Amino acid sequence: MLRFFPQKNKYIQAESKFTFNNEGPIPKHVAVIMDGNGRWAQNRRLPRIAGHKEGMNTVKKITKHASKLGIKVLTLYAFSTENWKRPTDEVSFLMQLPVDFFDTFVPELIKENVKVHVMGYKEFLPEHTQDAVERAIEQTKDNTGMVLNFALNYGSRAEIVTAIKDIAEKAANSELSAEDITETTIADHLMTGFLPEDLRDPELLIRTSGEERISNFLLWQIAYSELFFTDALWPDFNSELLESALASFQNRNRRFGGLKESEEE
């Protein structure tokens, strides 16, 4: 039904500079700032909530394709701690989305062997949202494939403050000393600490909608992530664009502050 509305600003996918190589390196952890749902709806003269609903359909498609490509962790920025400032009707709809999403998608996730995790301040979510989240986590807990990690009521600065408070409390209780605190200590106390050490930090961060900022997302974890920005609004993001992002990643020179052997020579 949505496609019958004329678009004011239609997105035309640009040709990628790089070709995705199935045999090339695949980032183990990909994070996505899913931006542009509201603008997608407004372009079609629809209410913003229609964009959020279509955005959830995109989540389903991208999750399946990411799993198929061999990505180990897909972290999606679903709702930030700042998003409570949005209109009440929109927030209420966003809080209902996980209920509808998981009710219909969990059987497919089980079939795809995808495990659901949700990080963020879940205790502040409405009870029906919390229940849907916990059911999805419980129903997929035995899956051994890709981790689909939703950042829901998540903010990176708040996450870091919480981690520091936890570490300070342990220090006050003589459970550790200042000398014991390392980067690993901090990473252990962040919300990605549930993941194995080699999977905690995204190797690739994608942001849709043409915006080129981080928006308080995984500030510690993306210290060495490759960044990929696309003008596509999230509901327009598809498997081809995911592969374009991966193709770009495959052609990056990742030095982590050092030099490649060829550059040293």
Side-chain angles (χ1 to χ4, degrees):
M1 176 179 174
L2 299 181
R3 65 183 71 242
F4 290 108
F5 287 84
Q7 296 183 49
K8 290 187 288 184
N9 300 299
K10 187 172 183 179
Y11 171 73
I12 299 174
Q13 187 168 321
E15 187 174 345
S16 176
K17 292 192 297 183
F18 305 109
T19 301
F20 173 65
N21 179 6
N22 257 313
E23 303 300 320
I26 300 291
K28 291 179 286 188
H29 185 167
V30 174
V32 185
I33 300 174
M34 306 180 292
D35 196 16
N37 290 337
R39 275 169 283 170
W40 182 92
Q42 289 168 343
N43 281 343
R44 289 161 173 76
R45 299 169 177 83
L46 294 167
R48 288 175 56 85
I49 60 176
H52 294 306
K53 187 172 182 179
E54 189 65 21
M56 283 294 99
N57 291 330
T58 300
V59 169
K60 294 178 181 181
K61 297 171 191 173
I62 295 303
T63 296
K64 289 181 180 180
H65 198 59
S67 176
K68 178 183 174 183
L69 293 173
I71 292 168
K72 304 297 183 186
V73 181
L74 180 64
T75 295
L76 303 178
Y77 204 5
F79 190 89
S80 77
T81 49
E82 289 79 27
N83 286 155
W84 296 106
K85 301 172 187 175
R86 294 188 177 188
T88 302
D89 287 350
E90 183 174 350
V91 170
S92 296
F93 183 84
L94 289 170
M95 290 298 104
Q96 179 62 30
L97 266 184
V99 181
D100 300 336
F101 175 79
F102 287 129
D103 280 351
T104 59
F105 196 40
V106 163
E108 293 182 61
L109 292 174
I110 293 171
K111 184 178 178 181
E112 296 285 335
N113 197 29
V114 171
K115 184 174 185 176
V116 173
H117 184 86
V118 176
M119 68 179 194
Y121 297 93
K122 293 178 285 187
E123 64 272 24
F124 297 111
L125 298 172
E127 188 173 342
H128 66 279
T129 310
Q130 292 187 48
D131 289 345
V133 163
E134 293 306 322
R135 281 198 308 273
I137 292 171
E138 177 64 24
Q139 290 172 318
T140 62
K141 68 179 182 179
D142 295 325
N143 292 352
T144 57
M146 188 184 78
V147 175
L148 176 58
N149 180 35
F150 285 99
L152 190 59
N153 196 26
Y154 169 88
S156 188
R157 285 186 173 184
E159 171 193 35
I160 293 169
V161 169
T162 298
I164 292 171
K165 286 181 177 178
D166 289 344
I167 293 168
E169 186 175 346
K170 289 181 179 178
N173 293 333
S174 300
E175 295 177 41
L176 53 77
S177 65
E179 292 74 22
D180 294 327
I181 300 172
T182 64
E183 289 190 9
T184 301
T185 308
I186 295 171
D188 286 344
H189 288 79
L190 295 175
M191 292 180 181
T192 45
F194 75 96
L195 292 164
E197 285 189 33
D198 65 327
L199 295 180
R200 291 175 179 176
D201 297 342
E203 293 168 278
L204 175 65
L205 171 68
I206 299 169
R207 180 166 188 154
T208 60
S209 87
E211 305 291 354
E212 297 184 0
R213 56 179 177 269
I214 303 307
S215 296
N216 197 20
F217 186 48
L218 300 175
L219 299 177
W220 174 279
Q221 295 91 331
I222 62 168
Y224 282 102
S225 300
E226 298 296 327
L227 308 182
F228 181 87
F229 301 106
T230 174
D231 289 333
L233 304 174
W234 176 246
D236 289 324
F237 195 79
N238 55 28
S239 299
E240 290 75 20
L241 275 169
L242 175 60
E243 291 187 6
S244 293
L246 298 181
S248 177
F249 172 85
Q250 291 175 337
N251 284 274
R252 305 286 179 94
N253 185 3
R254 308 192 77 216
R255 298 187 298 275
F256 302 97
L259 295 175
K260 298 289 187 182
E261 289 184 11
S262 58
E263 294 173 322
E264 292 175 351
E265 295 171 358

